[in-house]
Amino acid sequence: MSETVHRGSCNCGAVRIEIEGPLRVFGFCHCTTCRKASGTAFTANSSVRRERVRFLDGEAAIARYESSPGTFRCFCSKCGSPVYKESAAKPGVIRIRLGILDTPVGAKPKAHAFWGERADWYDDPGSMPVYETWAPVLKDEVEE
Ligand SMILES: [Zn+2]
Ligand SMILES: [Zn+2]
């Protein structure tokens, strides 16, 4: 296990975080709420144990939107950058939005999830497997 420390920040720099340890397997999620929350074709998120995430700045700037019951999309209230998602069902885990990272992720995405809800202008899956809904290969590996 690498002891890599990842750092991320929102677009305006008000929110800055540090993530200890390796990032988990990730893919692209094409579900409707991810598309709307990101404003583009898909999101790339990785699960991290909450205690491995430390705010260097701006925790008070985080705003939360309940996109489905018990699931909160957390974003910078100043610039709107998506930062992470959290779920009442899994309080020990948060889903980091990989686009906020300023340090290399050091891994490649493994699958397309919710391909059945993709934007009609995104048709090329490349070399990654496609799953109409959940991608088993992306199953959350983080222990509770
Ligand atoms: Zn910001
Ligand atoms: Zn999604």
Side-chain angles (χ1 to χ4, degrees), residues 9-15 61 75-81 83:
S9 58
C10 66
N11 211 4
C12 76
V15 177
F75 55 96
C76 173
S77 59
K78 296 190 169 135
C79 70
S81 295
V83 179

Side-chain angles (χ1 to χ4, degrees), residues 11 27-28 30-31 35-36 46 48-49 51 54 56 62 84 100 102 105 110 113 118 129 141:
N11 211 4
F28 295 157
H30 297 259
C31 84
R35 285 196 288 107
K36 289 183 184 290
S46 182
V48 182
R49 286 197 64 79
E51 69 259 23
R54 196 163 67 86
L56 302 176
I62 292 287
Y84 60 93
I100 67 163
D102 299 308
V105 170
K110 297 290 189 218
R118 74 187 183 280
E141 291 178 344

Side-chain angles (χ1 to χ4, degrees), residues 6-144:
H6 299 274
R7 286 175 192 260
S9 58
C10 66
N11 211 4
C12 76
V15 177
R16 293 189 304 118
I17 62 167
E18 193 171 78
I19 304 160
E20 178 197 324
L23 295 165
R24 301 285 174 159
V25 62
F26 70 98
F28 295 157
C29 185
H30 297 259
C31 84
T32 302
T33 52
C34 279
R35 285 196 288 107
K36 289 183 184 290
S38 67
T40 189
F42 53 81
T43 59
N45 314 308
S46 182
S47 295
V48 182
R49 286 197 64 79
R50 186 179 288 274
E51 69 259 23
R52 290 182 174 273
V53 178
R54 196 163 67 86
F55 276 88
L56 302 176
D57 207 358
E59 187 166 9
I62 292 287
R64 300 159 89 239
Y65 170 67
E66 191 169 15
S67 59
S68 56
T71 295
F72 295 87
R73 288 172 187 265
C74 303
F75 55 96
C76 173
S77 59
K78 296 190 169 135
C79 70
S81 295
V83 179
Y84 60 93
K85 185 176 83 174
E86 61 187 5
S87 166
K90 288 188 176 181
V93 175
I94 65 176
R95 299 269 295 161
I96 294 288
R97 282 28 204 158
L98 295 183
I100 67 163
L101 292 182
D102 299 308
T103 50
V105 170
K108 300 294 184 198
K110 297 290 189 218
H112 294 279
F114 287 89
W115 190 247
E117 296 182 23
R118 74 187 183 280
D120 68 349
W121 45 269
Y122 192 89
D123 276 334
D124 181 4
S127 58
M128 286 201 297
V130 161
Y131 297 91
E132 285 301 298
T133 59
W134 303 102
V137 67
L138 303 179
K139 187 174 180 305
D140 187 354
E141 291 178 344
V142 176
E143 64 288 353
E144 284 302 302

